[in-house]
Amino acid sequence: MTDNLHTRARQLMDEERVEGTLSSENRAWLAAHLRDCDECRAAAAAATAALATLRDTGVELPRGLASRTQMRLRLRAGELRDDRPGTNVAWVVAAISWAAGAATAPWVWRGFAWLGEHAGAPKPIWEIGFVLWWIVPALFATGAVVAERRENPSD
Ligand SMILES: [Zn+2]
């Protein structure tokens, strides 16, 4: 058996997980390959077990997110047919929001401390201001994700 066949099998397994379906020709080919190939059968079982573990730990993932992420690692962005760009934008906004908050935290902390001193505000007040500055944009972004998902419960 050549590596090509295993590569094709892994691609079809990914496709099935992402798209939720395969053409009958591909499904038959994959089933036949898995019957004959211990290696790919083990890989399929491991992937299924990993997803099941994620579910069992109670991590609430949008359906298909894990497999879509895995798919993105393998495919060039342009090759991915994604009919749900809104979801991706919201996730990116949430991620950027957290990253920006973390990256700028030391400066913002100093800024709030300076303001607190010069405005004579009690320390707890400017500390709360700092925390709000950090988490509010992320909360908005997360809220946007939740709202977007609520409008599209099929995802
Ligand atoms: Zn194989």
Side-chain angles (χ1 to χ4, degrees), residues 17 39 72 115 151-152:
R17 223 169 284 134
E39 200 186 318
R72 279 199 191 93
L115 272 180
E151 284 167 22
N152 300 279

Side-chain angles (χ1 to χ4, degrees), residues 1-3 5-7 9-10 13 29 33-34 36-41:
M1 223 173 274
T2 70
D3 282 352
L5 291 176
H6 304 304
T7 304
R10 309 297 168 93
M13 285 190 271
W29 184 92
H33 182 82
L34 290 180
D36 297 339
C37 180
D38 292 341
E39 200 186 318
C40 286
R41 200 164 52 233

Side-chain angles (χ1 to χ4, degrees), residues 46-138:
T48 304
L51 288 175
T53 304
L54 265 183
R55 275 193 297 270
D56 289 347
T57 54
V59 178
E60 193 52 45
L61 288 177
R63 228 174 76 224
L65 176 67
S67 50
R68 280 207 304 266
T69 306
Q70 185 188 23
M71 197 71 169
R72 279 199 191 93
L73 295 176
R74 297 188 181 205
L75 294 179
R76 293 201 302 277
E79 284 178 327
L80 184 67
R81 298 190 308 277
D82 196 332
D83 54 356
R84 305 283 320 285
T87 303
N88 299 325
V89 168
W91 281 108
V92 167
V93 167
I96 289 174
S97 172
W98 277 110
T104 58
W107 290 280
V108 175
W109 176 256
R110 252 172 264 158
F112 271 97
W114 184 89
L115 272 180
E117 275 169 30
H118 286 74
K123 201 175 177 214
I125 299 292
W126 61 260
E127 281 179 347
I128 289 169
F130 168 76
V131 170
L132 287 179
W133 185 90
W134 192 353
I135 68 170
V136 164

